[in-house]
């Protein structure tokens, strides 16, 4: 005689219940194994940027110290803050820069300060050579020397980032001579970009940002010459991917 069990007002054959229990148990084990497998993959897949601690040396002039804005709004410090949100910590941020510095001034400062090697080094210099009408041949020689020093301090060309010179001809300060200034800046940046290619270092073009923003109210600091914190943030948006690509290779 067959035995039946009443369940939810339905009659189910007892052997069938046993089979269903086995299937359910097997499915549960598969599900648990699948979950453990996924968790194991997650655990074994490294976050390439997780808990990275770096040192960063920023070399330059007023554009690097952030003349006209608070230090925290200069692009090196905004870079530091942005990277922290991506699990990359700049533990040591060294800025060697000063308003009005030419390539020669920066060379002398490096001799005096003798900075220690850093994981990454940036170089943004030359606008004061142009503004002070220093010989272009002098700029080229001194820029070459500075780039060599940057490569040495960074432990290799792959850890150096050259940033282009912004066009101050679009600001009220340079509006009376904007075309001439723009052409001169292009000349300097063309040489800088060429050297970056030869030395195999990264080149970040922020000049187009300065030109696209022009003299918009939010684009400049109160002095109507130097970039605002908003413009520096846009520079950082271009620099971050370059730096992260270096970390991941």
């Amino acid at each position: 005689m067959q035995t039946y069990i009443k369940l939810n007002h339905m009659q189910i054959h007892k052997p069938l219940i046993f089979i269903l229990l086995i299937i359910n148990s097997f499915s549960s084990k598969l599900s648990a194994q699948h979950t453990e497998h996924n968790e194991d993959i997650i655990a074994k897949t490294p976050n390439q940027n997780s808990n990275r601690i770096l040192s960063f040396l920023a070399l330059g002039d007023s554009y690097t110290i952030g003349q006209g804005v608070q230090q925290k709004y200069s692009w090196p410090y905004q870079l530091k803050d942005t990277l922290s949100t991506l699990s990359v910590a700049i533990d040591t941020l060294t800025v060697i820069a000063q308003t009005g510095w030419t390539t020669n001034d920066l060379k002398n400062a490096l001799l005096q300060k003798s900075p220690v090697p850093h994981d990454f080094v940036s170089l943004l210099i030359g606008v004061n050579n142009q503004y002070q009408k220093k010989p272009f041949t002098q700029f080229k020689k001194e820029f070459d020397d500075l780039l060599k020093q940057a490569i040495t301090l960074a432990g290799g060309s792959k850890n150096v980032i050259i940033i282009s010179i912004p066009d101050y001809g679009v600001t009220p300060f340079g509006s009376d001579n904007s075309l001439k200034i723009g052409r001169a800046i292009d000349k300097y940046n063309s040489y800088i970009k060429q050297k970056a290619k030869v030395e195999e270092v990264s080149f970040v073009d922020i000049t187009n940002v300065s030109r696209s923003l022009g003299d918009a109210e939010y684009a400049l600091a109160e002095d109507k010459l130097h970039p605002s914190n908003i413009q520096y943030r846009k520079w950082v948006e271009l620099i971050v991917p370059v730096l992260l690509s270096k970390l991941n290779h």
Side-chain angles (χ1 to χ4, degrees), residues 4-29:
Y4 292 87
I5 297 176
K6 193 171 184 179
L7 182 63
N8 294 332
H9 306 291
M10 296 178 62
Q11 287 186 330
I12 302 178
H13 199 280
K14 187 173 181 180
L16 180 59
I17 293 176
F18 180 73
I19 294 173
L20 289 174
L21 289 173
I22 293 176
I23 294 174
N24 183 61
S25 176
F26 182 71
S27 297
S28 297
K29 289 182 179 179

Side-chain angles (χ1 to χ4, degrees), residues 50-185:
S50 180
N51 300 320
R52 294 296 297 270
I53 299 177
L54 308 173
S55 58
F56 193 97
L57 172 61
L59 306 176
D61 49 39
S62 59
Y63 292 127
T64 295
I65 64 170
Q67 179 69 35
V69 300
Q70 296 179 47
Q71 184 186 67
K72 65 180 180 180
Y73 294 131
S74 64
W75 74 258
Y77 280 85
Q78 288 202 55
L79 175 68
K80 178 180 179 180
D81 290 343
T82 300
L83 289 175
S84 68
T85 67
L86 302 172
S87 299
V88 179
I90 295 181
D91 185 54
T92 301
L93 174 57
T94 306
V95 177
I96 300 179
Q98 188 169 307
T99 298
W101 273 4
T102 63
T103 46
N104 187 55
D105 295 321
L106 181 55
K107 280 188 63 176
N108 290 335
L110 288 175
L111 285 174
Q112 294 173 4
K113 296 179 182 296
S114 299
V116 299
H118 286 62
D119 294 315
F120 290 95
V121 178
S122 67
L123 180 61
L124 167 51
I125 194 72
V127 70
N128 293 298
N129 291 70
Q130 183 276 325
Y131 178 70
Q132 297 176 26
K133 298 181 181 179
K134 301 290 186 182
F136 189 66
T137 53
Q138 178 184 352
F139 164 77
K140 292 194 295 183
K141 181 182 184 306
E142 292 172 351
F143 184 86
D144 291 357
D145 292 340
L146 287 169
L147 182 53
K148 289 178 182 178
Q149 286 182 274
I151 292 172
T152 298
L153 289 168
S157 58
K158 65 184 180 66
N159 297 326
V160 175
I161 299 174
I162 296 179
I163 301 169
S164 69
I165 303 170
D167 185 357
Y168 70 92
V170 302
T171 71
F173 181 85
S175 60
D176 291 339
N177 206 14
S178 59
L179 290 178
K180 186 176 180 180
I181 292 171
R183 286 194 292 267
I185 295 299

